[in-house]
Amino acid sequence: MTGTWQLIRLILRRDRVLLPLWAVVLGCVPALYVSSFESLFPTAADRLEYARVSAGNAGFVGLYGPLHGSSLGELVAWRGGFIPVMIALFSLLTVVRHTRTEEEAGRTELIGSGVVGRHAGLAAAVIATLGANVVLALILASLMITQGLPAAGSVVLAAEFGLAGWMFTGVAAVAAQLAGGARTARSISVIALGVAYVLRLAGDVSDTGSGALGWLSWLSPIGWVQRMYPYGADRWWPALAAVVLTGVLIAGAAALAARRDVGAGLIAPRPGPASAAPGLRGPFALAWRLHRGLLLGWVAGFAALGLVFGGVAQSVAELTDDNADMAEVFARMGGASGAVDNFFVATSGILGLIAAAYAVQATLRLRDEESTGHAEMVLATATTRLRWIGSHLVFALAGPALALAAAGAVSGLTAGVSLDDVAGTFRGALGGALAQVPAVWVLAALTVLLVGLLPRQAPAAWGVVAACFLLLIVGAALQLDQWVLDISPFTHVPRLPGSDATATPFVVLTLVAVALAAAGLAGFRRRDIPVL
């Protein structure tokens, strides 16, 4: 463990922007829901009616988890039910970044040549991530208490969020020992998170009906912490289970780390064939092989999100039928064709930002290929730089568009069946989702610009995605100036369905994307490769 403190300081210095960004933002979001619920449902009767409709809706329960009360605190905690998943995602990415990615880059071996203990790197990554979750929890608890919510429930809610990050910090620590590379470690961790979410979703949705599969929720760590029921029962025993699981995972990771060589994983990589098939001898075929798993996973995930959003649409219509204030709020959100159209406007914005995350991830694959030396080997052949980078950009641009189309089509069909208007709802949901594509391309092109001109700062593209997410979620609630909101390309996307749209914003956003990408490609042609 010698040198752990110095490595923690190094991690905090390198992540001085990213770490506070997600810890502070995700810690503040639930506090913004308080004023929103107070204005939407000012009386106890309004909140009770909202809770009655929401608790029995499979779509809401699938997305946010079970709802067991109608107090303001319980509604806010329930509405933030997806945030623990995001905290878990950021936590596992942070651990993998400072363990397997460091080994791939050779920095772990370099640091290990000094006076540093064998487990210092893993310990530093785990402690820094656990600490970030503690800071997030303290911020959340403080904000909720200052909003006038009960202190006991606020502490339980903060523990729920922080422990979700703790458990998947442990998951990522184990995955980093099993995998032979950072990409595999991230995949194992994200799959574990996805399985946990699906188990929680299946169990909770089952409980809204017969309850035959309700036990599945208890197999999910996400389900454990959501059963702490902040502002209601205020249970602490699920927190004990989460702490024990975190401890077991971290101890297991330390034991596994002692049984492998630096740079190697416990899962041995499979040797490939001695020669490639004829269809794999071009740069595009290589890019397809590298991106196909990511593409299929994102498209399937978007289709699942479309299923959830489509299932919620009927409840939105029922809510506005029973609550005139709610109908008025939806009408003020833009568009004029009813609450369901405005619901799809809101969900399309969320889908667009998630698709932007996919676009950034796919584009940053260029940087991964460069830093691992693979790009240098490909470019040593007759393949030109533009042909190589173009083969990857095809998937970075077309992949998010395909994922958005899948989400829009599935949500439109699902909502259309429940609302007896398949044609109209399908057209509206699909159009709203595809309208996000030019804005997604702007963020992908910005990532190309960073890769081409400032390759070492390319991961900063994630900060841009986070900033756009923040503007979408809290920009209107904080009444920010319009010029601040206009920084996000998603602000300029027409609000579809339910309003008229012209071609101008789509053309302008596409031209901005082309200009950014062209500047990035020009820089990429002229700089050294690789830049480490």
Side-chain angles (χ1 to χ4, degrees):
M1 299 290 285
T2 303
T4 300
W5 172 241
Q6 286 77 10
L7 290 179
I8 291 174
R9 291 177 59 191
L10 177 62
I11 290 172
L12 295 179
R13 178 176 175 78
R14 294 181 61 199
D15 280 5
R16 59 187 178 277
V17 175
L18 288 178
L19 211 58
L21 191 64
W22 66 260
V24 173
V25 170
L26 294 179
C28 292
V29 169
L32 301 174
Y33 292 148
V34 177
S35 59
S36 176
F37 270 104
E38 284 180 324
S39 61
L40 281 173
F41 309 102
T43 67
D46 290 338
R47 289 193 287 271
L48 181 62
E49 178 61 19
Y50 176 76
R52 183 190 65 78
V53 174
S54 301
N57 181 274
F60 277 150
V61 172
L63 188 58
Y64 304 125
L67 175 61
H68 288 274
S70 61
S71 68
L72 180 60
E74 287 171 307
L75 290 177
V76 169
W78 169 75
R79 182 61 179 77
F82 193 74
I83 296 177
V85 179
M86 299 176 65
I87 294 171
L89 178 63
F90 280 111
S91 297
L92 66 88
L93 291 178
T94 301
V95 172
V96 173
R97 165 176 155 77
H98 292 289
T99 51
R100 291 307 311 198
T101 303
E102 291 297 285
E103 289 190 33
E104 280 189 351
R107 285 187 284 269
T108 298
E109 189 173 9
L110 179 65
I111 292 173
S113 63
V115 186
V116 176
R118 180 177 178 82
H119 297 295
L122 175 63
V126 168
I127 292 172
T129 309
L130 296 180
N133 281 283
V134 171
V135 172
L136 182 152
L138 291 175
I139 291 172
L140 174 58
S142 302
L143 289 176
M144 300 303 275
I145 292 172
T146 56
Q147 297 264 1
L149 294 177
S154 300
V155 173
V156 174
L157 179 64
E160 172 190 336
F161 281 34
L163 288 172
W166 275 29
M167 287 187 287
F168 283 89
T169 295
V171 170
V174 172
Q177 314 313 314
L178 298 176
R183 193 178 308 124
T184 307
R186 277 192 293 269
S187 298
I188 293 173
S189 304
V190 171
I191 289 172
L193 177 59
V195 170
Y197 181 73
V198 170
L199 287 172
R200 199 281 303 158
L201 185 152
D204 290 346
V205 170
S206 175
D207 280 337
T208 64
S210 64
L213 298 177
W215 55 272
L216 288 176
S217 296
W218 292 103
L219 300 180
S220 165
I222 298 295
W224 297 356
V225 293
Q226 286 194 338
R227 274 151 181 77
M228 294 172 71
Y229 297 138
Y231 305 106
D234 286 341
R235 291 177 179 169
W236 277 103
W237 60 265
L240 179 61
V243 171
V244 170
L245 177 62
T246 303
V248 169
L249 289 171
I250 292 175
L256 293 175
R259 289 167 171 76
R260 68 176 181 89
D261 293 331
V262 174
L266 293 177
I267 301 176
R270 292 181 305 169
S275 59
L280 291 176
R281 290 176 181 169
F284 181 82
L286 175 61
W288 160 249
R289 187 173 181 83
L290 294 174
H291 284 269
R292 63 185 180 185
L294 195 66
L295 174 64
L296 295 175
W298 276 98
V299 170
F302 267 72
L305 274 177
L307 189 65
V308 172
F309 288 151
V312 172
Q314 185 179 10
S315 295
V316 172
E318 293 173 354
L319 277 174
T320 54
D321 289 343
D322 299 336
N323 188 322
D325 292 337
M326 188 76 177
E328 184 181 349
V329 169
F330 270 107
R332 288 202 303 267
M333 288 171 63
S337 300
V340 175
D341 283 351
N342 286 292
F343 169 73
F344 280 121
V345 170
T347 56
S348 295
I350 295 172
L351 289 171
L353 275 169
I354 299 175
Y358 171 29
V360 169
Q361 183 187 15
T363 307
L364 286 178
R365 184 61 186 257
L366 291 165
R367 184 63 186 146
D368 289 342
E369 291 296 293
E370 181 183 352
S371 59
T372 55
H374 299 162
E376 193 174 9
M377 289 188 285
V378 174
L379 294 175
T381 66
T383 304
T384 65
R385 293 190 179 196
L386 290 182
R387 193 178 175 206
W388 175 74
I389 198 170
S391 66
H392 286 271
L393 289 184
V394 166
F395 295 95
L397 299 177
L402 184 60
L404 283 168
V410 173
S411 65
L413 285 173
T414 307
V417 170
S418 61
L419 297 172
D420 293 328
D421 182 20
V422 174
T425 308
F426 177 81
R427 185 170 56 250
L430 182 60
L434 291 179
Q436 309 297 319
V437 171
V440 172
W441 286 350
V442 170
L443 294 193
L446 181 63
T447 311
V448 175
L449 181 71
L450 290 170
V451 170
L453 298 180
L454 302 168
R456 292 191 180 92
Q457 281 70 43
W462 289 113
V464 179
V465 177
C468 292
F469 178 79
L470 184 63
L471 290 174
L472 175 71
I473 297 297
V474 303
L478 297 180
Q479 298 182 337
L480 298 176
D481 292 339
Q482 187 59 42
W483 70 267
V484 178
L485 299 178
D486 287 343
I487 294 173
S488 170
F490 294 95
T491 305
H492 307 280
V493 174
R495 304 175 68 84
L496 296 176
S499 64
D500 297 328
T502 64
T504 303
F506 299 115
V507 173
V508 171
L509 287 171
T510 304
L511 289 177
V512 170
V514 170
L516 291 172
L521 293 175
F524 186 76
R525 288 187 63 190
R526 288 168 173 76
R527 70 172 173 85
D528 292 337
I529 296 178
V531 174
L532 301 177

